[in-house]
Amino acid sequence: ARSRHLSLRDLLARLSAPAGSEGQGTSRTGFLSAQTLGIEARQQTLQATLDWSFRLLILGEQQLFWRLGVFAGGSTLGAVEAVCGPSLGEDMLELLGGLIDKSLVLVSESAGEARYTMLTTIRDYALRHLLASQEADEVRNRHAAYYLASILRMNPAGTLTSQANSLERLEEDYDNVRAALRWTLES
């Protein structure tokens, strides 16, 4: 909203300044909003855009979206099905496709396998919805159980190839393992 009027250095200085600093004159949230005539409310802040996008999702997509917020660093289809899918049934793939089509979930390939991720800002938004839902503990428990089982399946005494594959998988899921451990310790 302000990039047309200020340099990147000036933007960073204003965003880094403590709230209420001299010369700032407005909150960071207000500073980032666009108060231009002709711009719809949903386009004035990132929060408003995400709220608007979320409201456009059908109920099943909303549920899958907030459940996907539990994954730190993305996940495989197997992980999505195990952690997010139990109550969504066979529609889970259709719902996931809908989130991909709406650019809320990104797909990449790693070691010949699809990996589903969200941009950090979108994931944080999804996680806030998950934590506000009544199923947050259940989803986080399934997430922790999935990654515990994944680690237990690794075979440290296997061949060098299987060890390398296990380490590669562990590296890809490092953030998920950390999140699962953090949840386990907290709960």
Side-chain angles (χ1 to χ4, degrees):
R2 305 285 182 210
S3 64
R4 291 179 289 145
H5 309 132
L6 298 171
S7 70
L8 292 177
R9 187 182 315 260
D10 291 336
L11 284 169
L12 180 61
R14 289 184 177 262
L15 291 172
S16 300
S21 294
E22 184 179 334
Q24 193 165 338
T26 184
S27 72
R28 283 182 212 150
T29 306
F31 174 70
L32 289 175
S33 65
Q35 301 297 326
T36 308
L37 292 175
I39 294 180
E40 295 183 44
R42 71 171 192 257
Q43 296 173 325
Q44 291 182 6
T45 66
L46 182 56
Q47 178 72 37
T49 300
L50 290 171
D51 289 340
W52 176 76
S53 295
F54 182 76
R55 285 191 302 271
L56 291 177
L57 300 174
I58 62 172
L59 180 60
E61 288 175 331
Q62 288 178 351
Q63 290 172 322
L64 179 58
F65 175 73
W66 74 54
R67 290 174 187 177
L68 287 170
V70 76
F71 291 103
S75 61
T76 62
L77 181 59
V80 172
E81 289 173 326
V83 175
C84 302
S87 65
L88 298 175
E90 293 181 19
D91 293 337
M92 206 272 312
L93 282 176
E94 189 73 27
L95 298 172
L96 182 59
L99 295 176
I100 292 166
D101 292 344
K102 292 171 179 86
S103 301
L104 294 170
V105 175
L106 306 172
V107 183
S108 61
E109 190 174 312
S110 178
E113 189 172 26
R115 194 150 181 91
Y116 304 92
T117 59
M118 293 177 158
L119 297 174
T120 302
T121 306
I122 293 173
R123 179 189 174 258
D124 291 345
Y125 181 86
L127 187 58
R128 282 195 309 272
H129 274 274
L130 174 64
L131 297 177
S133 76
Q134 295 180 356
E135 62 183 19
D137 289 349
E138 178 184 344
V139 171
R140 292 175 90 186
N141 284 336
R142 283 196 308 257
H143 178 262
Y146 178 84
Y147 285 100
L148 172 62
S150 178
I151 289 171
L152 292 175
R153 281 191 305 269
M154 292 181 183
N155 182 4
T159 65
L160 288 177
T161 303
S162 69
Q163 289 175 356
N165 290 340
S166 292
L167 287 175
E168 185 178 319
R169 175 58 65 99
L170 184 59
E171 186 175 333
E172 286 178 344
D173 288 327
Y174 180 74
D175 292 331
N176 281 310
V177 171
R178 286 185 59 188
L181 288 171
R182 191 175 313 112
W183 164 248
T184 302
L185 291 172
E186 289 173 6
S187 62

